[in-house]
Short mmCIF file of all heavy atoms in Angstrom, two decimals:
data_model
loop_
_atom_site.label_atom_id
_atom_site.label_comp_id
_atom_site.label_asym_id
_atom_site.label_seq_id
_atom_site.Cartn_x
_atom_site.Cartn_y
_atom_site.Cartn_z
N LEU A 284 19.57 35.54 -189.87
CA LEU A 284 19.18 34.15 -189.59
C LEU A 284 18.93 33.93 -188.10
O LEU A 284 18.02 33.18 -187.73
CB LEU A 284 20.27 33.19 -190.10
CG LEU A 284 20.39 33.06 -191.62
CD1 LEU A 284 21.55 32.13 -191.97
CD2 LEU A 284 19.10 32.54 -192.23
N GLU A 285 19.70 34.57 -187.25
CA GLU A 285 19.50 34.38 -185.81
C GLU A 285 18.15 34.93 -185.36
O GLU A 285 17.54 34.43 -184.41
CB GLU A 285 20.64 35.01 -185.01
CG GLU A 285 20.93 36.46 -185.33
CD GLU A 285 22.06 36.63 -186.31
OE1 GLU A 285 22.20 35.78 -187.22
OE2 GLU A 285 22.81 37.62 -186.17
N ILE A 286 17.67 35.99 -186.04
CA ILE A 286 16.34 36.52 -185.74
C ILE A 286 15.27 35.53 -186.18
O ILE A 286 14.30 35.27 -185.45
CB ILE A 286 16.12 37.88 -186.44
CG1 ILE A 286 17.11 38.91 -185.91
CG2 ILE A 286 14.69 38.35 -186.25
CD1 ILE A 286 16.97 39.24 -184.45
N LEU A 287 15.46 34.95 -187.35
CA LEU A 287 14.49 33.97 -187.85
C LEU A 287 14.45 32.74 -186.94
O LEU A 287 13.38 32.14 -186.76
CB LEU A 287 14.84 33.56 -189.28
CG LEU A 287 14.62 34.64 -190.35
CD1 LEU A 287 14.96 34.10 -191.73
CD2 LEU A 287 13.19 35.14 -190.32
N ASP A 288 15.57 32.38 -186.37
CA ASP A 288 15.58 31.26 -185.42
C ASP A 288 14.70 31.57 -184.22
O ASP A 288 13.98 30.70 -183.72
CB ASP A 288 17.01 30.97 -184.97
CG ASP A 288 17.86 30.33 -186.06
OD1 ASP A 288 17.26 29.76 -187.00
OD2 ASP A 288 19.10 30.41 -185.99
N GLN A 289 14.74 32.84 -183.76
CA GLN A 289 13.88 33.24 -182.64
C GLN A 289 12.41 33.21 -183.05
O GLN A 289 11.54 32.80 -182.26
CB GLN A 289 14.27 34.64 -182.17
CG GLN A 289 15.63 34.74 -181.52
CD GLN A 289 15.88 36.13 -180.96
OE1 GLN A 289 15.06 36.67 -180.21
NE2 GLN A 289 17.01 36.72 -181.31
N VAL A 290 12.12 33.65 -184.27
CA VAL A 290 10.74 33.64 -184.77
C VAL A 290 10.19 32.22 -184.78
O VAL A 290 9.06 31.96 -184.34
CB VAL A 290 10.67 34.26 -186.18
CG1 VAL A 290 9.27 34.06 -186.78
CG2 VAL A 290 11.03 35.74 -186.15
N LYS A 291 11.00 31.30 -185.24
CA LYS A 291 10.54 29.92 -185.39
C LYS A 291 10.35 29.21 -184.05
O LYS A 291 9.66 28.19 -183.98
CB LYS A 291 11.52 29.15 -186.27
CG LYS A 291 11.52 29.62 -187.73
CD LYS A 291 12.62 28.99 -188.56
CE LYS A 291 12.61 29.54 -189.98
NZ LYS A 291 13.72 29.01 -190.81
N LYS A 292 10.93 29.77 -183.01
CA LYS A 292 10.70 29.21 -181.67
C LYS A 292 9.36 29.66 -181.10
O LYS A 292 8.87 29.09 -180.13
CB LYS A 292 11.84 29.64 -180.73
CG LYS A 292 13.18 29.02 -181.06
CD LYS A 292 14.27 29.56 -180.12
CE LYS A 292 15.64 28.97 -180.45
NZ LYS A 292 16.71 29.53 -179.57
N VAL A 293 8.79 30.70 -181.72
CA VAL A 293 7.54 31.27 -181.20
C VAL A 293 6.35 30.93 -182.10
O VAL A 293 5.31 30.47 -181.61
CB VAL A 293 7.66 32.81 -181.09
CG1 VAL A 293 6.36 33.43 -180.61
CG2 VAL A 293 8.82 33.19 -180.17
N ALA A 294 6.49 31.16 -183.39
CA ALA A 294 5.38 30.99 -184.32
C ALA A 294 5.23 29.54 -184.75
O ALA A 294 6.20 28.78 -184.75
CB ALA A 294 5.61 31.88 -185.54
N PRO A 295 4.03 29.14 -185.15
CA PRO A 295 3.82 27.77 -185.65
C PRO A 295 4.66 27.51 -186.89
O PRO A 295 4.97 28.44 -187.66
CB PRO A 295 2.32 27.75 -185.99
CG PRO A 295 1.72 28.84 -185.18
CD PRO A 295 2.77 29.90 -185.08
N LEU A 296 5.01 26.26 -187.08
CA LEU A 296 5.81 25.86 -188.24
C LEU A 296 5.10 26.26 -189.53
O LEU A 296 3.89 26.08 -189.65
CB LEU A 296 6.05 24.35 -188.21
CG LEU A 296 7.04 23.79 -189.23
CD1 LEU A 296 8.43 24.31 -188.95
CD2 LEU A 296 7.02 22.25 -189.20
N GLN A 297 5.81 26.82 -190.46
CA GLN A 297 5.30 27.22 -191.77
C GLN A 297 4.36 28.44 -191.73
O GLN A 297 3.71 28.75 -192.72
CB GLN A 297 4.57 26.05 -192.46
CG GLN A 297 5.42 24.83 -192.71
CD GLN A 297 6.63 25.12 -193.58
OE1 GLN A 297 6.51 25.81 -194.59
NE2 GLN A 297 7.79 24.61 -193.20
N HIS A 298 4.26 29.12 -190.59
CA HIS A 298 3.44 30.32 -190.54
C HIS A 298 4.09 31.40 -191.40
O HIS A 298 5.31 31.46 -191.55
CB HIS A 298 3.31 30.82 -189.10
CG HIS A 298 2.21 31.82 -188.90
ND1 HIS A 298 2.31 33.14 -189.31
CD2 HIS A 298 0.97 31.70 -188.35
CE1 HIS A 298 1.20 33.78 -189.01
NE2 HIS A 298 0.37 32.93 -188.42
N SER A 299 3.26 32.29 -191.98
CA SER A 299 3.78 33.31 -192.88
C SER A 299 4.75 34.27 -192.20
O SER A 299 5.59 34.88 -192.86
CB SER A 299 2.62 34.12 -193.49
OG SER A 299 1.86 34.75 -192.48
N VAL A 300 4.67 34.43 -190.87
CA VAL A 300 5.58 35.35 -190.19
C VAL A 300 7.01 34.81 -190.12
O VAL A 300 7.92 35.53 -189.71
CB VAL A 300 5.10 35.69 -188.76
CG1 VAL A 300 3.73 36.30 -188.78
CG2 VAL A 300 5.14 34.47 -187.85
N CYS A 301 7.19 33.55 -190.51
CA CYS A 301 8.54 32.97 -190.48
C CYS A 301 9.41 33.47 -191.63
O CYS A 301 10.58 33.09 -191.72
CB CYS A 301 8.45 31.45 -190.50
SG CYS A 301 7.69 30.75 -189.00
N GLY A 302 8.85 34.28 -192.50
CA GLY A 302 9.64 34.86 -193.58
C GLY A 302 10.56 35.96 -193.07
O GLY A 302 10.26 36.65 -192.09
N ALA A 303 11.66 36.17 -193.76
CA ALA A 303 12.69 37.11 -193.31
C ALA A 303 12.23 38.56 -193.35
O ALA A 303 12.82 39.42 -192.68
CB ALA A 303 13.95 36.94 -194.16
N THR A 304 11.18 38.88 -194.13
CA THR A 304 10.73 40.27 -194.23
C THR A 304 9.40 40.50 -193.50
O THR A 304 8.80 41.57 -193.66
CB THR A 304 10.56 40.68 -195.70
OG1 THR A 304 9.60 39.83 -196.34
CG2 THR A 304 11.88 40.59 -196.45
N SER A 305 8.94 39.55 -192.71
CA SER A 305 7.65 39.71 -192.03
C SER A 305 7.74 40.80 -190.95
O SER A 305 8.81 41.11 -190.43
CB SER A 305 7.21 38.40 -191.38
OG SER A 305 7.94 38.15 -190.20
N SER A 306 6.60 41.37 -190.61
CA SER A 306 6.55 42.39 -189.56
C SER A 306 6.98 41.82 -188.22
O SER A 306 7.64 42.51 -187.43
CB SER A 306 5.13 42.97 -189.45
OG SER A 306 4.75 43.62 -190.63
N PHE A 307 6.61 40.57 -187.95
CA PHE A 307 6.96 39.97 -186.66
C PHE A 307 8.46 39.77 -186.54
O PHE A 307 9.06 40.03 -185.48
CB PHE A 307 6.22 38.65 -186.46
CG PHE A 307 6.45 38.03 -185.12
CD1 PHE A 307 6.10 38.70 -183.96
CD2 PHE A 307 7.05 36.78 -185.00
CE1 PHE A 307 6.32 38.13 -182.70
CE2 PHE A 307 7.27 36.20 -183.75
CZ PHE A 307 6.91 36.89 -182.60
N ALA A 308 9.08 39.31 -187.60
CA ALA A 308 10.54 39.14 -187.59
C ALA A 308 11.22 40.49 -187.36
O ALA A 308 12.20 40.60 -186.60
CB ALA A 308 11.02 38.51 -188.90
N LYS A 309 10.70 41.54 -187.97
CA LYS A 309 11.28 42.86 -187.79
C LYS A 309 11.06 43.38 -186.38
O LYS A 309 11.91 44.09 -185.82
CB LYS A 309 10.70 43.83 -188.83
CG LYS A 309 11.18 43.52 -190.25
CD LYS A 309 10.42 44.32 -191.30
CE LYS A 309 10.89 43.91 -192.69
NZ LYS A 309 10.05 44.47 -193.75
N LEU A 310 9.90 43.05 -185.81
CA LEU A 310 9.65 43.45 -184.42
C LEU A 310 10.70 42.86 -183.49
O LEU A 310 11.27 43.57 -182.65
CB LEU A 310 8.25 42.99 -184.00
CG LEU A 310 7.90 43.10 -182.51
CD1 LEU A 310 8.09 44.53 -182.01
CD2 LEU A 310 6.48 42.62 -182.26
N ILE A 311 10.98 41.57 -183.63
CA ILE A 311 12.00 40.94 -182.80
C ILE A 311 13.36 41.58 -183.03
O ILE A 311 14.12 41.84 -182.09
CB ILE A 311 12.05 39.43 -183.07
CG1 ILE A 311 10.77 38.76 -182.54
CG2 ILE A 311 13.28 38.80 -182.43
CD1 ILE A 311 10.73 37.26 -182.74
N SER A 312 13.65 41.89 -184.28
CA SER A 312 14.92 42.53 -184.61
C SER A 312 15.03 43.91 -183.97
O SER A 312 16.07 44.28 -183.41
CB SER A 312 15.06 42.63 -186.13
OG SER A 312 16.32 43.16 -186.49
N LEU A 313 13.95 44.70 -184.01
CA LEU A 313 13.96 46.03 -183.41
C LEU A 313 14.09 45.98 -181.89
O LEU A 313 14.70 46.85 -181.27
CB LEU A 313 12.68 46.78 -183.78
CG LEU A 313 12.58 47.27 -185.23
CD1 LEU A 313 11.16 47.74 -185.55
CD2 LEU A 313 13.57 48.39 -185.50
N LEU A 314 13.52 44.92 -181.29
CA LEU A 314 13.57 44.80 -179.84
C LEU A 314 14.95 44.47 -179.30
O LEU A 314 15.24 44.70 -178.13
CB LEU A 314 12.58 43.72 -179.36
CG LEU A 314 11.10 44.10 -179.39
CD1 LEU A 314 10.26 42.91 -178.94
CD2 LEU A 314 10.83 45.31 -178.50
N VAL A 315 15.80 43.92 -180.14
CA VAL A 315 17.13 43.50 -179.70
C VAL A 315 17.87 44.66 -179.02
O VAL A 315 18.52 44.48 -177.99
CB VAL A 315 17.95 42.96 -180.88
CG1 VAL A 315 19.42 42.79 -180.50
CG2 VAL A 315 17.38 41.63 -181.37
N ASN A 316 17.73 45.86 -179.59
CA ASN A 316 18.46 47.01 -179.05
C ASN A 316 17.64 47.85 -178.08
O ASN A 316 18.18 48.76 -177.45
CB ASN A 316 18.93 47.91 -180.21
CG ASN A 316 19.91 47.20 -181.12
OD1 ASN A 316 20.76 46.45 -180.66
ND2 ASN A 316 19.78 47.45 -182.41
N GLU A 317 16.35 47.53 -177.94
CA GLU A 317 15.49 48.37 -177.11
C GLU A 317 14.88 47.62 -175.93
O GLU A 317 14.08 48.18 -175.19
CB GLU A 317 14.35 48.96 -177.97
CG GLU A 317 14.81 49.69 -179.22
CD GLU A 317 15.68 50.89 -178.91
OE1 GLU A 317 15.56 51.45 -177.80
OE2 GLU A 317 16.48 51.28 -179.78
N GLU A 318 15.23 46.37 -175.74
CA GLU A 318 14.58 45.52 -174.76
C GLU A 318 14.74 46.04 -173.33
O GLU A 318 13.89 45.80 -172.47
CB GLU A 318 15.15 44.09 -174.84
CG GLU A 318 14.32 43.03 -174.15
CD GLU A 318 12.94 42.82 -174.76
OE1 GLU A 318 12.00 43.51 -174.34
OE2 GLU A 318 12.82 41.99 -175.66
N GLN A 319 15.80 46.76 -173.05
CA GLN A 319 16.04 47.20 -171.68
C GLN A 319 15.28 48.48 -171.31
O GLN A 319 15.38 48.96 -170.19
CB GLN A 319 17.56 47.43 -171.48
CG GLN A 319 18.42 46.23 -171.82
CD GLN A 319 17.99 44.97 -171.07
OE1 GLN A 319 17.73 45.02 -169.86
NE2 GLN A 319 17.90 43.85 -171.78
N SER A 320 14.54 49.00 -172.26
CA SER A 320 13.79 50.23 -172.00
C SER A 320 12.75 50.00 -170.90
O SER A 320 12.07 48.98 -170.88
CB SER A 320 13.10 50.71 -173.28
OG SER A 320 12.27 51.81 -173.00
N SER A 321 12.64 50.95 -169.98
CA SER A 321 11.69 50.82 -168.88
C SER A 321 10.34 51.46 -169.21
O SER A 321 9.38 51.30 -168.47
CB SER A 321 12.27 51.47 -167.61
OG SER A 321 12.54 52.85 -167.85
N SER A 322 10.28 52.20 -170.32
CA SER A 322 9.03 52.87 -170.70
C SER A 322 8.30 52.06 -171.77
O SER A 322 8.86 51.15 -172.38
CB SER A 322 9.33 54.28 -171.23
OG SER A 322 10.17 54.21 -172.36
N PHE A 323 7.05 52.40 -171.99
CA PHE A 323 6.25 51.68 -172.98
C PHE A 323 6.74 51.96 -174.39
O PHE A 323 7.12 53.08 -174.72
CB PHE A 323 4.78 52.07 -172.86
CG PHE A 323 4.07 51.42 -171.70
CD1 PHE A 323 3.75 52.15 -170.58
CD2 PHE A 323 3.76 50.07 -171.73
CE1 PHE A 323 3.10 51.57 -169.50
CE2 PHE A 323 3.11 49.47 -170.66
CZ PHE A 323 2.79 50.21 -169.55
N MET A 324 6.72 50.92 -175.20
CA MET A 324 7.10 51.03 -176.61
C MET A 324 5.92 50.58 -177.46
O MET A 324 5.33 49.53 -177.22
CB MET A 324 8.33 50.16 -176.91
CG MET A 324 9.57 50.53 -176.13
SD MET A 324 10.95 49.42 -176.50
CE MET A 324 10.34 47.88 -175.77
N TYR A 325 5.59 51.38 -178.47
CA TYR A 325 4.49 51.06 -179.37
C TYR A 325 5.04 50.57 -180.71
O TYR A 325 5.88 51.24 -181.32
CB TYR A 325 3.61 52.29 -179.59
CG TYR A 325 2.80 52.69 -178.39
CD1 TYR A 325 3.38 53.44 -177.36
CD2 TYR A 325 1.46 52.35 -178.27
CE1 TYR A 325 2.64 53.82 -176.24
CE2 TYR A 325 0.71 52.72 -177.17
CZ TYR A 325 1.31 53.46 -176.16
OH TYR A 325 0.57 53.83 -175.06
N PHE A 326 4.57 49.41 -181.15
CA PHE A 326 4.98 48.88 -182.45
C PHE A 326 3.93 49.27 -183.48
O PHE A 326 2.75 48.95 -183.32
CB PHE A 326 5.12 47.36 -182.38
CG PHE A 326 5.52 46.73 -183.70
CD1 PHE A 326 6.82 46.88 -184.17
CD2 PHE A 326 4.62 45.98 -184.45
CE1 PHE A 326 7.21 46.31 -185.38
CE2 PHE A 326 5.00 45.40 -185.64
CZ PHE A 326 6.30 45.56 -186.11
N LEU A 327 4.36 49.99 -184.52
CA LEU A 327 3.42 50.48 -185.52
C LEU A 327 3.95 50.25 -186.93
O LEU A 327 5.16 50.15 -187.16
CB LEU A 327 3.19 51.99 -185.33
CG LEU A 327 2.58 52.44 -183.99
CD1 LEU A 327 2.57 53.95 -183.92
CD2 LEU A 327 1.18 51.87 -183.82
N HIS A 328 3.01 50.19 -187.86
CA HIS A 328 3.36 50.14 -189.28
C HIS A 328 3.38 51.56 -189.83
O HIS A 328 2.91 52.50 -189.18
CB HIS A 328 2.36 49.27 -190.04
CG HIS A 328 2.36 47.85 -189.58
ND1 HIS A 328 1.70 47.45 -188.43
CD2 HIS A 328 2.94 46.74 -190.09
CE1 HIS A 328 1.88 46.16 -188.26
NE2 HIS A 328 2.63 45.71 -189.24
N GLN A 329 3.90 51.70 -191.03
CA GLN A 329 4.04 53.04 -191.62
C GLN A 329 2.71 53.79 -191.64
O GLN A 329 2.63 54.94 -191.20
CB GLN A 329 4.58 52.91 -193.05
CG GLN A 329 4.85 54.24 -193.73
CD GLN A 329 5.41 54.08 -195.12
OE1 GLN A 329 5.03 53.16 -195.86
NE2 GLN A 329 6.31 54.97 -195.51
N ALA A 330 1.65 53.15 -192.13
CA ALA A 330 0.34 53.82 -192.20
C ALA A 330 -0.20 54.14 -190.81
O ALA A 330 -0.89 55.15 -190.63
CB ALA A 330 -0.65 52.95 -192.98
N ASP A 331 0.10 53.27 -189.83
CA ASP A 331 -0.38 53.50 -188.45
C ASP A 331 0.19 54.79 -187.88
O ASP A 331 -0.53 55.61 -187.31
CB ASP A 331 0.03 52.34 -187.53
CG ASP A 331 -0.35 50.98 -188.05
OD1 ASP A 331 -1.27 50.90 -188.90
OD2 ASP A 331 0.26 49.99 -187.60
N TRP A 332 1.50 54.95 -188.01
CA TRP A 332 2.18 56.11 -187.40
C TRP A 332 1.79 57.39 -188.12
O TRP A 332 1.55 58.42 -187.48
CB TRP A 332 3.69 55.91 -187.45
CG TRP A 332 4.47 56.96 -186.70
CD1 TRP A 332 4.60 57.08 -185.34
CD2 TRP A 332 5.19 58.05 -187.28
NE1 TRP A 332 5.38 58.18 -185.04
CE2 TRP A 332 5.75 58.79 -186.20
CE3 TRP A 332 5.43 58.46 -188.59
CZ2 TRP A 332 6.53 59.92 -186.42
CZ3 TRP A 332 6.20 59.60 -188.80
CH2 TRP A 332 6.75 60.31 -187.72
N LEU A 333 1.67 57.33 -189.43
CA LEU A 333 1.27 58.53 -190.18
C LEU A 333 -0.16 58.94 -189.83
O LEU A 333 -0.44 60.13 -189.68
CB LEU A 333 1.38 58.25 -191.68
CG LEU A 333 2.82 58.18 -192.21
CD1 LEU A 333 2.86 57.47 -193.56
CD2 LEU A 333 3.41 59.59 -192.32
N SER A 334 -1.04 57.97 -189.66
CA SER A 334 -2.42 58.29 -189.26
C SER A 334 -2.44 58.88 -187.86
O SER A 334 -3.21 59.81 -187.56
CB SER A 334 -3.29 57.03 -189.32
OG SER A 334 -3.34 56.50 -190.64
N TYR A 335 -1.58 58.34 -186.98
CA TYR A 335 -1.46 58.87 -185.61
C TYR A 335 -1.12 60.36 -185.62
O TYR A 335 -1.63 61.14 -184.80
CB TYR A 335 -0.41 58.08 -184.82
CG TYR A 335 0.25 58.90 -183.73
CD1 TYR A 335 -0.43 59.18 -182.54
CD2 TYR A 335 1.54 59.41 -183.90
CE1 TYR A 335 0.17 59.96 -181.56
CE2 TYR A 335 2.14 60.17 -182.93
CZ TYR A 335 1.45 60.45 -181.75
OH TYR A 335 2.03 61.22 -180.78
N LEU A 336 -0.26 60.77 -186.55
CA LEU A 336 0.10 62.19 -186.62
C LEU A 336 -1.12 63.07 -186.84
O LEU A 336 -1.13 64.25 -186.46
CB LEU A 336 1.11 62.42 -187.74
CG LEU A 336 2.49 61.77 -187.57
CD1 LEU A 336 3.35 62.03 -188.80
CD2 LEU A 336 3.19 62.26 -186.32
N LEU A 337 -2.16 62.50 -187.44
CA LEU A 337 -3.38 63.27 -187.72
C LEU A 337 -4.41 63.15 -186.60
O LEU A 337 -4.98 64.15 -186.17
CB LEU A 337 -3.99 62.83 -189.05
CG LEU A 337 -3.11 62.99 -190.30
CD1 LEU A 337 -3.87 62.54 -191.53
CD2 LEU A 337 -2.64 64.43 -190.46
N HIS A 338 -4.65 61.91 -186.11
CA HIS A 338 -5.71 61.75 -185.10
C HIS A 338 -5.20 61.73 -183.66
O HIS A 338 -5.96 61.90 -182.71
CB HIS A 338 -6.56 60.51 -185.38
CG HIS A 338 -5.81 59.22 -185.44
ND1 HIS A 338 -5.06 58.71 -184.40
CD2 HIS A 338 -5.72 58.29 -186.44
CE1 HIS A 338 -4.55 57.56 -184.75
NE2 HIS A 338 -4.91 57.28 -185.98
N GLY A 339 -3.89 61.50 -183.47
CA GLY A 339 -3.30 61.60 -182.14
C GLY A 339 -3.53 60.42 -181.22
O GLY A 339 -3.24 60.52 -180.01
N LYS A 340 -4.01 59.29 -181.73
CA LYS A 340 -4.28 58.12 -180.90
C LYS A 340 -3.26 57.03 -181.21
O LYS A 340 -3.30 56.43 -182.28
CB LYS A 340 -5.70 57.61 -181.12
CG LYS A 340 -6.76 58.63 -180.73
CD LYS A 340 -8.16 58.08 -180.91
CE LYS A 340 -9.21 59.12 -180.51
NZ LYS A 340 -10.59 58.61 -180.65
N LEU A 341 -2.34 56.79 -180.28
CA LEU A 341 -1.29 55.80 -180.50
C LEU A 341 -1.82 54.38 -180.40
O LEU A 341 -2.76 54.11 -179.66
CB LEU A 341 -0.17 55.98 -179.47
CG LEU A 341 1.03 56.83 -179.86
CD1 LEU A 341 2.02 56.88 -178.71
CD2 LEU A 341 1.70 56.31 -181.12
N GLY A 342 -1.17 53.48 -181.12
CA GLY A 342 -1.45 52.06 -180.95
C GLY A 342 -2.67 51.56 -181.68
O GLY A 342 -3.37 50.67 -181.18
#
Side-chain angles (χ1 to χ4, degrees):
L284 290 177
E285 52 263 35
I286 297 296
L287 290 182
D288 288 339
Q289 293 186 51
V290 172
K291 292 172 182 177
K292 292 177 182 178
V293 178
L296 189 66
Q297 300 301 315
H298 195 285
S299 60
V300 301
C301 294
T304 60
S305 76
S306 297
F307 184 60
K309 290 170 183 170
L310 169 56
I311 291 181
S312 184
L313 287 169
L314 285 178
V315 168
N316 297 321
E317 306 298 335
E318 196 65 271
Q319 305 306 315
S320 174
S321 59
S322 60
F323 283 106
M324 299 178 292
Y325 290 81
F326 179 72
L327 298 174
H328 298 79
Q329 184 179 36
D331 308 339
W332 187 75
L333 287 162
S334 299
Y335 152 75
L336 295 177
L337 300 181
H338 57 60
K340 298 182 180 181
L341 265 180

